[in-house]
Amino acid sequence: MDLIEILKGKLIVSCQALEDEPLHGSIYMRKMALAAKEGGAAAIRANGVLDIKAIKEEVDLPIIGLIKRNYESCDVYITPTKKEIMELVESGCEIIAMDATNRCQITFQELKEKVDLVHQHGLLALADISTYNEGLNAEKAGFDIVSTTLSGYTKYSTQSEEPDYKLVKQLKKALKIPVIAEGRIFNDCQLKKMLKSKPHAIIIGSSITRPKVITERFVKVIEGSKK
């Protein structure tokens, strides 16, 4: 069955931990991925070659791979260059996610070249975008999938503590390629509301796989109730 079809109507779990988090490391992420699979996840989103390879050893789910790497000259950090793409090609992931925002004045041609490189190696390209126009641009550049991952994480996109329901709805109407909803889905009510926009799939990360973040949210509510 086609991979995009396999993901339709399913949950994808993002298994990532930053270096300053207690669960950082492949030994933890591979078990987090196993827990996600046992819970019914259809795929995993993972950061870094080591984590991807470790997760591949643990579960037989498709992986959306990315590499977070900072360069001084640019705010883009999700698979920012062709170097990261080639590292991901060797990792065994089936889909490569990359920043497709308008930051750093990346040209359409540069973006298309990165997508073409992914396709040359028989993999799918997923665009992490933050606005409606970036979604349109991603489809024109040849991306196979668009995800609303970066809504709220660029200065010019919608800033909210809620998921970007409107963006998903707009992109669903405008694009022929699948639209995945990702970002700030923390509870059942938000998920049910997002599902009304009929995204191709849902990606959830922090509220499943980052206990530090989950704890902080609950502590914030408790502290707020004391005021």
Side-chain angles (χ1 to χ4, degrees):
M1 186 184 293
D2 178 75
L3 178 53
I4 290 179
E5 191 62 28
I6 289 173
L7 299 180
K8 188 173 182 179
K10 298 297 178 61
L11 173 65
I12 300 163
V13 175
S14 181
C15 296
Q16 300 181 48
L18 301 178
E19 291 184 8
D20 64 343
E21 294 181 83
L23 295 186
H24 177 72
S26 301
I27 188 173
Y28 304 113
M29 288 302 103
R30 66 188 295 158
K31 294 304 181 183
M32 197 68 81
L34 178 59
K37 178 188 175 181
E38 291 182 352
I44 303 294
R45 178 174 167 120
N47 169 37
V49 172
L50 291 179
D51 281 11
I52 293 168
K53 287 185 174 180
I55 290 170
K56 276 289 181 185
E57 292 175 356
E58 195 73 40
V59 301
D60 57 356
L61 297 177
I63 294 180
I64 300 171
L66 60 128
I67 292 176
K68 291 181 177 178
R69 188 168 288 157
N70 293 307
Y71 289 92
E72 289 184 5
S73 60
C74 187
D75 291 335
V76 170
Y77 62 93
I78 298 177
T79 319
T81 74
K82 293 179 181 178
K83 179 178 185 296
E84 287 77 37
I85 289 175
M86 291 310 301
E87 290 176 35
L88 289 169
V89 167
E90 299 299 323
S91 74
C93 67
E94 289 80 7
I95 302 173
I96 292 181
M98 70 182 86
D99 187 310
T101 66
N102 294 329
R103 294 179 291 181
C104 305
Q105 292 80 50
I106 186 168
T107 67
F108 179 82
Q109 185 58 36
E110 289 172 324
L111 194 58
K112 189 176 186 307
E113 286 174 0
K114 290 172 69 177
V115 174
D116 289 345
L117 181 60
V118 173
H119 288 160
Q120 285 168 19
H121 289 86
L123 304 178
L124 298 177
L126 181 148
D128 288 330
I129 57 91
S130 68
T131 67
Y132 176 74
N133 286 334
E134 288 171 352
L136 299 182
N137 198 44
E139 184 172 68
K140 291 176 183 176
F143 279 94
D144 304 286
I145 310 167
V146 162
S147 178
T148 57
T149 316
L150 293 172
S151 171
Y153 294 94
T154 58
K155 294 178 181 178
Y156 51 83
S157 60
T158 300
Q159 306 295 310
S160 173
E161 292 188 2
E162 287 288 307
D164 200 336
Y165 308 107
K166 181 179 178 181
L167 179 59
V168 172
K169 194 173 294 185
Q170 289 176 326
L171 291 174
K172 273 286 295 180
K173 289 181 179 179
L175 302 182
K176 294 180 180 178
I177 60 175
V179 177
I180 291 178
E182 180 177 9
R184 302 186 298 280
I185 299 173
F186 287 103
N187 56 54
D188 294 1
C189 291
Q190 291 171 328
L191 177 57
K192 289 175 181 176
K193 185 174 179 180
M194 181 59 80
L195 288 171
K196 291 179 181 178
S197 297
K198 300 189 182 301
H200 187 80
I202 299 280
I203 295 178
I204 298 180
S206 295
S207 62
I208 296 176
T209 60
R210 296 177 71 189
K212 177 182 174 182
V213 173
I214 298 167
T215 302
E216 287 172 346
R217 288 181 64 85
F218 284 120
V219 169
K220 185 177 179 181
V221 172
I222 291 171
E223 293 302 319
S225 69
K226 297 176 182 179
K227 296 178 181 179

